[in-house]
Amino acid sequence: MGITKFIYLLLFFAALFLFYSKENIVKVIEKVEKPLVEFENSVMYDISKDGLSQVIQSQNAYKFTNSEQLKNATILIKSKKDNNKSTTISAEQIVKVSDDLYLNKNVIFETENKITLKTEELQYNLKDLIAKNNSFFKITENNNSFEGERLYFNGKINHIKASKTHFKIDLKENNETD
């Protein structure tokens, strides 16, 4: 009698396991894209029919299918209006996707009007000339300074928006600062 109960119990569990659906756990292995081209200690020039338009200097440069990556890099972009003026962008890491630059660590951005921006991270669109970030920044021009967080800077119309700001302006008339 005990053996028949044991057999019925085994049949019950066998039927239970037969209809039990087990989810397949699939591990997704991240495919690391290898660069198409790699440069070390390089200087690259962008020459158009109008002449030299930009110079890119980097410790390491990688060209991928949809992006470019630079380490310890400086980009010098010549002004289209005045050939003697240029915009300089430098950072420890720069990733370029289409017209967007993503800059990280020790970012220094100097416009052709000699406005200098220092921050730890920055997003910059080369076509629209718009810079954004969510971290602390400091902008200096001559003896004037402007610092804060969450920067939005439109380079075409020289419009700046930020939060938690603090600024010092050098007044030329009385030589005072506010």
Side-chain angles (χ1 to χ4, degrees):
M1 182 89 100
I3 293 177
T4 56
K5 286 183 183 179
F6 178 72
I7 292 176
Y8 284 126
L9 190 62
L10 278 177
L11 284 173
F12 173 73
F13 280 118
L16 185 69
F17 284 116
L18 183 65
F19 295 111
Y20 176 74
S21 64
K22 183 179 175 184
E23 290 183 30
N24 290 335
I25 299 174
V26 179
K27 289 186 179 181
V28 177
I29 299 174
E30 184 178 325
K31 184 179 178 183
V32 177
E33 183 182 11
K34 292 184 181 179
L36 302 172
V37 178
E38 246 179 86
F39 296 106
E40 288 186 12
N41 298 322
S42 64
V43 178
M44 295 172 268
Y45 301 94
D46 190 4
I47 302 171
S48 65
K49 64 181 179 182
D50 300 326
L52 183 67
S53 60
Q54 70 179 359
V55 178
I56 302 169
Q57 181 179 4
S58 66
Q59 187 176 23
N60 297 89
Y62 306 100
K63 170 77 171 142
F64 296 95
T65 306
N66 297 321
S67 66
E68 298 172 20
Q69 193 176 71
L70 304 169
K71 305 259 183 180
N72 296 324
T74 301
I75 301 172
L76 182 111
I77 304 168
K78 292 281 192 175
S79 173
K80 293 178 183 174
K81 298 174 188 173
D82 185 357
N83 203 19
N84 294 328
K85 292 185 177 182
S86 61
T87 299
T88 306
I89 304 167
S90 67
E92 287 185 27
Q93 182 178 16
I94 301 174
V95 177
K96 181 183 182 220
V97 179
S98 183
D99 287 331
D100 294 321
L101 292 178
Y102 301 95
L103 303 106
N104 287 311
K105 296 182 186 170
N106 297 325
V107 177
I108 300 173
F109 180 86
E110 187 175 317
T111 67
E112 56 189 50
N113 301 329
K114 300 300 177 200
I115 297 171
T116 304
L117 165 69
K118 293 182 180 181
T119 186
E120 284 300 309
E121 59 96 13
L122 186 71
Q123 298 173 14
Y124 182 66
N125 186 291
L126 294 166
K127 185 178 178 184
D128 299 331
L129 305 179
I130 294 176
K132 300 181 215 176
N133 86 344
N134 290 320
S135 63
F136 176 80
F137 69 88
K138 183 174 183 177
I139 297 175
T140 55
E141 178 188 25
N142 298 327
N143 293 331
N144 306 321
S145 68
F146 178 74
E147 54 189 49
E149 294 178 6
R150 301 180 51 88
L151 172 72
Y152 174 86
F153 174 68
N154 187 332
K156 285 186 177 178
I157 59 173
N158 289 328
H159 175 73
I160 297 176
K161 213 190 308 187
S163 64
K164 298 183 182 178
T165 59
H166 178 74
F167 57 92
K168 292 181 183 178
I169 300 175
D170 186 19
L171 300 174
K172 292 182 182 178
E173 296 174 27
N174 298 330
N175 241 357
E176 297 177 10
T177 57
D178 287 335

